[in-house]
Amino acid sequence: GPVAETFRVIQGAVTEEIVRSTGGVFQFELSGDGGGIWYIDLKTEGGSAGFGKPPVTADVVMSMSSADFVKMFT
């Protein structure tokens, strides 16, 4: 779905430079189609993004609809 595709694109865009300059972990609690807990880890070496809880404690937790999440990243 659109949420999974958005996270796939984000994962492909994560670089060491982005991880070094950001240094944060973002958790998204999404409602609606494709919802659930998703994360973007821009703190751990290599960075990552995907479904489930982040590998380390989130610095920021955002709750929103999956539709708003997709709009935010497109």
Side-chain angles (χ1 to χ4, degrees):
V3 171
E5 177 62 16
T6 301
F7 275 95
R8 187 189 67 72
V9 170
I10 292 168
Q11 175 66 49
V14 172
T15 65
E16 282 296 332
E17 182 179 331
I18 291 170
V19 171
R20 274 193 308 275
S21 66
T22 305
V25 178
F26 305 88
Q27 179 174 311
F28 299 90
E29 297 176 353
L30 305 179
S31 60
D33 290 342
I37 296 176
W38 295 79
Y39 72 91
I40 303 171
D41 176 359
L42 298 176
K43 183 181 267 185
T44 306
E45 184 177 342
S48 60
F51 183 76
K53 292 199 178 237
V56 296
T57 303
D59 297 299
V60 176
V61 177
M62 292 182 245
S63 297
M64 64 184 72
S65 72
S66 56
D68 284 346
F69 172 83
V70 172
K71 286 178 192 174
M72 184 171 76
F73 279 90
T74 54

